[in-house]
Each structure stands twice: as structure tokens, then as C-alpha cells.
Amino acid sequence: MNLPNVINELVKTQNNFDSAAYAQCFAETAVVFDEGKTHTGRKEIEQWIDKSNKDYKATMEPVDYDEKENILSAKISGTFPGSPIILKFHFEIADGKIQHLKVTE
């Protein structure tokens, strides 16, 4: 699977539970929409993923990537009900950084 570098880095930092490095994959003014909530800016994104890491211990295993639409399908395993599940990560990437991420089922 040919993933953009920033998405490879995002998966790696997620699986290492490294919230600071995860947040560095995003532009300073990036927006994340997940579980009905919007997180704006790198600092807020870092706080969101840090809490998520502590709550769910979720790891990502890429299973498919739609290069045309920039959608990563990944198996997410962790300490949450229904684990593992397949989630879709809808990316907007510019200048090597994630500008926008929306997570859907």
C-alpha cells in the first residue's frame, strides 16, 4: 500500500502512543472531526489524541488506501467496546501536513 509519508508517520506515532509526534503530523491550524467533536489546532489535536490514547489504547493497521479520495481504511484495535473495528480516515493534505481529518465508520 502506497501511503503518503505523513500518513505513514501518523500510523507509526499512533501505534507508539506518541501524542506529541502525532500532533506534529498536522498543520498548525488543522481541524480533526471524530466522535461528533471538532478539534482545532495542533495543541487541541495533541490533547485529543493523548486522552484517546489513555482511554482506548487504540492501534491502527492500514487495510486500504484510496489515493484519489485520500481515504485510509484502517483496523482499529483497543480497549473500547466492539474492538476491533474498521474506520475510515478522510484526509486533506497540503505541504506535507494534514490540514483536515474526518474519522467515520
Side-chain angles (χ1 to χ4, degrees), residues 28-62:
E28 191 64 49
T29 57
V31 176
V32 172
F33 183 78
D34 183 39
E35 296 183 305
K37 295 182 180 151
T38 301
H39 311 280
T40 305
R42 198 179 281 153
K43 185 166 184 61
E44 215 174 279
I45 291 168
E46 183 177 347
Q47 292 167 346
W48 157 72
I49 200 62
D50 188 56
K51 181 177 183 336
S52 179
N53 285 342
K54 289 174 181 163
D55 290 349
Y56 305 123
K57 311 269 187 288
T59 58
M60 296 176 76
E61 179 187 331

